[in-house]
Amino acid sequence: GAVVSQHPSWVICKSGTSVKIECRSLDFQATTMFWYRQFPKQSLMLMATSNEGSKATYEQGVEKDKFLINHASLTLSTLTVTSAHPEDSSFYICSARGPVRETQYFGPGTRLLVL
Amino acid sequence: GESVGLHLPTLSVQEGDNSIINCAYSNSASDYFIWYKQESGKGPQFIIDIRSNMDKRQGQRVTVLLNKTVKHLSLQIAATQPGDSAVYFCAENIENAGNMLTFGGGTRLMVKP
């Protein structure tokens, strides 16, 4: 149980395009989902907290207009990187708070490369 | 600010030996701790957790120890296998901070055959 999926797992795009990443909780309902960014050999950096049916809460320094988050249902949250640039290239990971309220279960990650 | 940190960035062990990965935390209000394993190119995988009212919890081949006196957390892996090679993160949760997780910097475990 507590499986989280992400799609796509790998995306390459041209600078200036927008990329949407989906995060789904497959076997449980997640009222809260989280989006992280991870650079090589570094820890996870929380970008935003997404609550179903309400606006996401962004961490300091994260541009809300750049990283659009939508949490339309209890099993789906999306992150859209708008007008992506090479510096947005990174590993994006989502997590969902599972049946045990404090535990977060992570998706497999999405690697974004902006050319 | 307060944070979770790790003592060793890299740990190299012989296959079959026991591994101990350490983590120090500084927030005395932390009430729940989780260890995650992250393999290259993958998302973190939940390993084991422990609440602040416990000092030890065992799983399959893994044991987490919590010493609240010195704010120290450790992950012990018995009979380490090549498949255990990964980066291990500890994370702390503070209930009165909205149940947010704060991650340590990670320790890379390398298992030598």
Side-chain angles (χ1 to χ4, degrees), chain A:
Chain A
V3 178
V4 177
S5 71
Q6 272 182 252
H7 178 81
S9 57
W10 172 251
V11 58
I12 302 173
C13 69
K14 292 182 179 180
S15 185
T17 60
S18 294
V19 176
K20 179 186 283 188
I21 303 170
E22 293 186 348
C23 177
R24 293 180 185 273
S25 56
L26 298 184
D27 52 1
F28 65 98
Q29 293 184 330
T31 54
T32 305
M33 290 185 172
F34 303 85
W35 287 96
Y36 294 84
R37 185 173 181 177
Q38 186 178 35
F39 292 104
K41 299 184 180 179
Q42 293 188 23
S43 188
L44 287 77
M45 181 188 77
L46 179 65
M47 299 174 65
T49 302
S50 167
N51 289 296
E52 186 266 338
S54 62
K55 291 184 178 180
T57 302
Y58 291 81
E59 294 300 298
Q60 194 171 18
V62 178
E63 299 176 59
K64 60 179 68 176
D65 294 329
K66 174 76 171 176
F67 300 99
L68 301 178
I69 293 173
N70 183 279
H71 193 158
S73 76
L74 287 172
T75 59
L76 173 64
S77 176
T78 61
L79 168 68
T80 301
V81 182
T82 62
S83 187
H85 288 91
E87 58 266 29
D88 298 323
S89 299
S90 190
F91 192 49
Y92 292 88
I93 310 172
C94 73
S95 70
R97 187 172 285 152
V100 176
R101 61 189 178 94
E102 304 96 335
T103 305
Q104 292 181 28
Y105 294 90
F106 287 83
T110 297
R111 189 163 300 282
L112 171 64
L113 177 62
V114 185
L115 302 177

Side-chain angles (χ1 to χ4, degrees), chain B residues 2-101:
Chain B
E2 296 182 296
S3 64
V4 176
L6 296 175
H7 296 302
L8 299 172
T10 303
L11 177 65
S12 184
V13 300
Q14 202 70 38
E15 180 179 358
D17 288 351
N18 296 333
S19 302
I20 300 176
I21 301 171
N22 297 301
C23 179
Y25 66 96
S26 56
N27 194 328
S28 57
S30 296
D31 53 10
Y32 178 63
F33 304 86
I34 309 172
W35 279 101
Y36 288 96
K37 171 187 179 183
Q38 187 177 26
E39 296 175 89
S40 181
K42 298 183 180 180
Q45 175 188 359
F46 173 90
I47 300 175
I48 192 169
D49 58 359
I50 188 168
R51 297 190 182 279
S52 58
N53 61 352
M54 304 170 67
D55 54 20
K56 180 180 181 179
R57 190 161 189 226
Q58 287 184 293
Q60 194 173 29
R61 278 201 310 120
V62 295
T63 301
V64 55
L65 298 178
L66 175 63
N67 186 330
K68 293 181 287 294
T69 302
V70 295
K71 297 188 184 68
H72 185 267
L73 190 71
S74 69
L75 175 69
Q76 299 178 2
I77 304 174
T80 312
Q81 302 170 359
D84 294 327
S85 295
V87 176
Y88 290 80
F89 293 98
C90 63
E92 62 176 331
N93 175 88
I94 306 171
E95 183 176 357
N96 61 12
N99 286 321
M100 304 293 288
L101 284 181

